Amino acid sequence: MSTPTRTASALDVESLKVWDHGLYGLHKQNDQLRSALFTMVDDLGLPKFLDVPRATWDAMFRKIESLMHQNPYHNFTHICDVSQAVYCILTQSRITEWLTPAETTYSFLSAICHDLDHPGNSNLLERNMGTALSKKFADSPLENHHRELACATGGILDEFGILSKVPVDTQNFIKSGMSEVILATDMAKHAVKTGALRTLLNRGKEALENAKSDSSIKCLFLQNLLKCADISNQGRAKPAADFWNSCIYTEFYAEGDRDRRDGRPVNPLHNRDCNDIAKSSVGFGSFVVRPLFELIHDFLKFAASVDPVIRTDIIDHAIALLKSNSESYKAEAEAKAAAKSEEAGAQEAGAEEGDAEEANAEEADEEEPHSDGEATSAAPGSPDAAVTKLRRTSLGGQAVTDIEK
């Protein structure tokens, strides 16, 4: 996997509001990634609202960096990239006009903390292996672990006093919002979370007329927003989508190898021997990612219908990229399948040709005389006959007259 590069110009506000490539270009450039995180929190007004100086933010970002393992996918670059996706949608859609400072705070802090101390495997593996996390948290062990490290008592927010300057009820509101948003990233909860927001939208303006002031509706939207950002790779520009595909499948295959080694069934997506990444990308993009982007789009479209300041352009653009990438992956999968079929056909034809040549050679052998006029074939069933046939077969069916008995 090649590591892309990106210049420091990516750290200014306007560059960070560009959707296409996210922050994958800063992979493993952790100083710049931390700087990007502060640029985003500063633009969203969090340091001012929480009265927290930059030095404290920097210290917290370093702690978060230290908690992230060197996994192929779930690493420090990933959480920064997801944070940039959330930032991009919040600012470019202008939905921040509907959010209170506390809601903006828990939305963005959730993105930064959503994968803290991720081990690089799934909840299913945690349960199958009977890990300490799976015993501590029966439901969503990884997401509960991330949540606990972030906003439980004694977590990162408390350790660095991020909320210490705001009233207690505001602290509780932010922590509660973060808990709900982080826990929503468990894909096992995907249908429940997306379905709840879709149900509200299907009920129309009557159900959403107070959405701008209803904190529970906004929290549900922000849960789906982080979910969307968390799996948004296929909605980025193709180089970014390819980079993250390589990362996630490296991690998936490592888990599949572990399951195979330990005698457990291997998830088809984790099976390096039979999974086609391009084909899987088409399915995931079409049936999971795109409907989620469309859900976010429809909520923003509703918001725009009652408040013209809200925009859907950023989601429209992401969906267009997603469609383009899906077409590209589909073509790649079809080309690979065609090449595989052609190769199999050629091998079958070669085998048939070889069988025919061998049969012809055997027929010719029965009739071909020695140079002295004697037949080459020994008596049927004799040891000499068997040795003669074996030698002819090993030499491609050609007549051989000087076989040593």
Side-chain angles (χ1 to χ4, degrees):
M1 181 195 318
S2 61
T3 300
T5 58
R6 192 165 179 177
T7 64
S9 62
L11 304 182
D12 64 72
V13 168
E14 293 310 311
S15 294
L16 287 167
K17 289 180 179 179
V18 175
W19 172 264
D20 290 30
H21 294 280
L23 293 181
Y24 92 100
L26 296 178
H27 184 46
K28 295 186 177 180
Q29 300 177 46
N30 290 356
D31 288 347
Q32 293 196 61
L33 288 170
R34 291 194 308 272
S35 181
L37 287 178
F38 182 78
T39 299
M40 291 185 284
V41 297
D42 191 44
D43 187 54
L44 290 170
L46 273 59
K48 182 177 181 181
F49 170 62
L50 300 172
D51 191 19
V52 174
R54 174 161 188 165
T56 302
W57 289 103
D58 288 342
M60 184 178 76
F61 296 153
R62 286 182 181 277
K63 177 61 179 285
I64 290 171
E65 176 192 345
S66 72
L67 287 171
M68 299 308 299
H69 301 206
Q70 295 298 312
N71 300 316
Y73 183 80
H74 290 98
N75 50 46
F76 187 57
T77 306
H78 166 70
I79 64 168
C80 293
D81 190 70
V82 170
S83 298
Q84 188 268 345
V86 169
Y87 170 75
C88 221
I89 296 173
L90 287 176
T91 57
Q92 296 299 82
S93 71
R94 301 177 187 172
I95 196 64
T96 47
E97 296 288 333
W98 278 33
L99 304 179
T100 66
E103 288 166 339
T104 299
T105 296
Y106 81 64
S107 175
F108 195 71
L109 289 181
S110 296
I112 296 174
C113 296
H114 81 281
D115 270 340
L116 291 179
D117 195 37
H118 199 296
N121 53 249
S122 68
N123 278 324
L124 180 59
L125 186 67
E126 292 288 323
R127 296 189 184 98
N128 285 339
M129 294 184 65
T131 64
L133 284 181
S134 69
K135 293 174 181 177
K136 183 177 183 179
F137 302 112
D139 186 51
S140 304
L142 291 178
E143 289 73 22
N144 267 298
H145 181 54
H146 309 325
R147 172 200 59 79
E148 184 177 60
L149 287 176
C151 52
T153 301
I156 279 181
L157 297 185
D158 287 354
E159 180 181 350
F160 292 93
I162 297 297
L163 306 179
S164 62
K165 302 287 185 64
V166 296
V168 173
D169 59 340
T170 303
Q171 295 181 32
N172 293 336
F173 178 79
I174 291 172
K175 287 184 174 183
S176 175
M178 286 183 67
S179 292
E180 292 191 55
V181 172
I182 291 173
L183 289 176
T185 60
D186 183 356
M187 288 301 292
K189 304 290 192 297
H190 185 78
V192 173
K193 295 302 181 180
T194 58
L197 186 56
R198 177 57 69 189
T199 297
L200 276 176
L201 289 167
N202 288 343
R203 287 168 57 191
K205 287 189 176 182
E206 182 179 349
L208 292 166
E209 60 182 352
N210 297 318
K212 187 174 182 178
S213 58
D214 190 323
S215 60
S216 63
I217 291 178
K218 287 185 285 183
C219 185
L220 181 59
F221 168 74
L222 293 173
Q223 289 172 48
N224 281 280
L225 174 59
L226 180 56
K227 287 173 58 61
C228 185
D230 198 21
I231 60 172
S232 66
N233 302 324
Q234 297 306 307
R236 300 280 200 174
K238 187 65 162 47
D242 288 344
F243 173 80
W244 288 116
N245 251 3
S246 176
C247 294
I248 190 63
Y249 279 100
T250 298
E251 205 166 285
F252 280 174
Y253 291 161
E255 179 166 336
D257 293 345
R258 194 170 186 176
D259 281 330
R260 184 183 295 106
R261 182 194 68 201
D262 294 345
R264 292 185 291 268
V266 179
N267 182 324
L269 285 177
H270 298 178
N271 193 332
R272 68 173 71 248
D273 295 332
C274 63
N275 181 60
D276 184 319
I277 293 178
K279 186 176 181 180
S280 297
S281 298
V282 174
F284 187 67
S286 300
F287 298 108
V288 181
V289 183
R290 183 172 171 181
L292 185 48
F293 269 106
E294 290 173 342
L295 180 63
I296 298 300
H297 173 275
D298 290 350
F299 183 88
L300 294 175
K301 184 178 180 181
F302 160 76
S305 72
V306 296
D307 189 348
V309 73
I310 307 299
R311 304 179 64 87
T312 64
D313 309 51
I314 182 68
I315 304 301
D316 294 332
H317 180 58
I319 291 174
L321 287 171
L322 180 60
K323 290 178 180 178
S324 175
N325 289 339
S326 291
E327 287 300 315
S328 178
Y329 287 128
K330 181 180 179 181
E332 183 181 331
E334 289 174 347
K336 185 176 180 180
K340 187 175 182 180
S341 177
E342 183 177 347
E343 180 182 358
Q347 290 176 348
E348 183 178 352
E352 291 176 353
E353 182 179 349
D355 291 342
E357 288 179 355
E358 182 178 348
N360 291 337
E362 291 178 358
E363 291 177 5
D365 181 50
E366 293 175 0
E367 302 174 357
E368 182 182 337
H370 278 288
S371 58
D372 60 5
E374 296 181 0
T376 59
S377 299
S382 70
D384 287 349
V387 172
T388 301
K389 182 178 179 181
L390 177 61
R391 183 66 61 87
R392 281 203 178 94
T393 301
S394 68
L395 296 177
Q398 296 177 354
V400 179
T401 60
D402 58 348
I403 299 177
E404 295 179 2
K405 303 296 192 288

